[in-house]
Amino acid sequence: EPEVTQTPSHQVTQMGQEVILRCVPISNHLYFYWYRQILGQKVEFLVSFYNNEISEKSEIFDDQFSVERPDGSNFTLKIRSTKLEDSAMYFCASMREQGAGGYTFGSGTRLTVV
Amino acid sequence: QQPVQSPQAVILREGEDAVINCSSSKALYSVHWYRQKHGEAPVFLMILLKGGEQKGHEKISASFNEKKQQSSLYLTASQLSYSGTYFCGTDWAGANNLFFGTGTRLTVIP
C-alpha cells in the first residue's frame, strides 16, 4: 500500500529557530496538504498545494510559513522563526484527485518548540 | 467554516451501535470521514459526494443530507478495533481543502 512519508518523526527546536518538515507524498497524487494538530485537539488546515503552487491557505499560515516542492517528489513546510505555540503534530497529506477518494496522511512530525 | 460534530464522546460495549453527526453552516460539496487512533495519523474511511447517498465500509456506513448540510456515520455491532477519534471533513465547491470537525472520541469496551 503506497504511503506518505514524513521526516523527522520528532523535532525539538529552540524558539526563534527555523525548522523544515519534509514529506514525500504518494507518487501519482496531485494534491498536497499540510495540517497540524495540537495535542488532543482538532486537525487544523494550514495550506493546500496543487500544480506547483499554493491553492489555499488558512489564517494560521502567515509569513512565517512557506511550502515548496523543490524536486517533484519532496514537499516541505518551513517555519522561519518558531514560536512556542507552533508546538504541534504536523501532518502532510496527499490526494490523487478531488471527489474520487480521501486524503492519505503521513505519520506526522511532532514539533516541540522550547 | 469548521463543521460541528456530536456527540463529543461516546462509550459503547462491544456489539452496540453508535451514530456520529456532522453539521456544517455552509453548503457542502463532499463529506469525508476519518478515524484516528491515539498517536497515529487519521485514516480515511469514506467519502460522500452531494446527492444524498449512503455508503458502507464493513459495518460502518454513512449518509449525507445535502439540504440539511449534515452527514451521519453509523457504526453497527461495534468491535474493540473501532475505538478512536472520528473526524468528519467537509469542503464546498471550489475549495481545495477539508475543514475537519471537532472530533468524536469513541471507546468500545468488552
Side-chain angles (χ1 to χ4, degrees):
Chain A
E1 178 106 20
E3 287 185 344
V4 174
T5 305
Q6 286 188 246
T7 54
S9 55
H10 293 87
Q11 172 111 35
V12 180
T13 189
Q14 289 204 318
M15 193 168 55
Q17 294 295 305
E18 175 183 286
V19 295
I20 297 177
L21 310 183
R22 301 180 194 282
C23 169
V24 180
I26 294 173
S27 60
N28 63 350
H29 283 194
L30 303 176
Y31 297 86
F32 312 110
Y33 307 87
W34 283 101
Y35 283 82
R36 77 175 186 190
Q37 186 177 36
I38 294 169
L39 187 63
Q41 297 186 28
K42 63 182 187 282
V43 180
E44 298 179 295
F45 169 68
L46 293 177
V47 64
S48 58
F49 195 85
Y50 170 72
N51 204 23
N52 287 318
E53 60 184 24
I54 290 174
S55 43
E56 290 186 44
K57 58 184 180 179
S58 72
E59 57 273 12
I60 301 169
F61 194 89
D62 61 20
D63 292 345
Q64 294 302 310
F65 291 85
S66 62
V67 289
E68 274 191 339
R69 195 153 186 255
D71 57 10
S73 60
N74 290 286
F75 180 49
T76 62
L77 174 70
K78 184 193 291 187
I79 310 175
R80 282 190 190 79
S81 178
T82 49
K83 302 188 274 266
L84 295 176
E85 54 265 36
D86 292 329
S87 295
M89 180 72 93
Y90 286 79
F91 289 108
C92 171
S94 68
M95 180 172 69
R96 187 165 192 287
E97 55 184 293
Q98 287 191 315
Y103 292 8
T104 301
F105 281 87
S107 52
T109 294
R110 181 169 298 282
L111 177 67
T112 304
V113 182
V114 298
Chain B
Q1 287 178 326
Q2 180 189 15
V4 177
Q5 287 183 235
S6 62
Q8 286 187 317
V10 59
I11 298 175
L12 299 175
R13 292 201 177 274
E14 262 185 300
E16 290 182 338
D17 302 340
V19 180
I20 299 171
N21 300 302
C22 173
S23 297
S24 173
S25 58
K26 291 186 76 164
L28 300 175
Y29 174 73
S30 71
V31 179
H32 295 216
W33 284 97
Y34 293 78
R35 175 170 61 210
Q36 184 179 32
K37 293 196 179 271
H38 183 69
E40 299 180 10
V43 173
F44 172 69
L45 295 176
M46 66 189 78
I47 180 174
L48 299 100
L49 303 176
K50 66 175 186 175
E53 66 178 290
Q54 185 146 353
K55 284 186 112 171
H57 177 77
E58 297 176 345
K59 292 179 183 173
I60 301 173
S61 62
S63 63
F64 180 16
N65 187 321
E66 198 180 325
K67 277 188 183 174
K68 291 185 179 178
Q69 295 164 193
Q70 289 177 347
S71 177
S72 295
L73 185 72
Y74 307 94
L75 301 107
T76 56
S78 58
Q79 303 166 17
L80 295 175
S81 61
Y82 287 3
S83 291
T85 301
Y86 289 78
F87 290 98
C88 65
T90 58
D91 66 359
W92 44 90
N96 184 24
N97 60 278
L98 294 180
F99 285 94
F100 285 92
T102 44
T104 297
R105 180 172 293 187
L106 179 79
T107 305
V108 181
I109 58 175

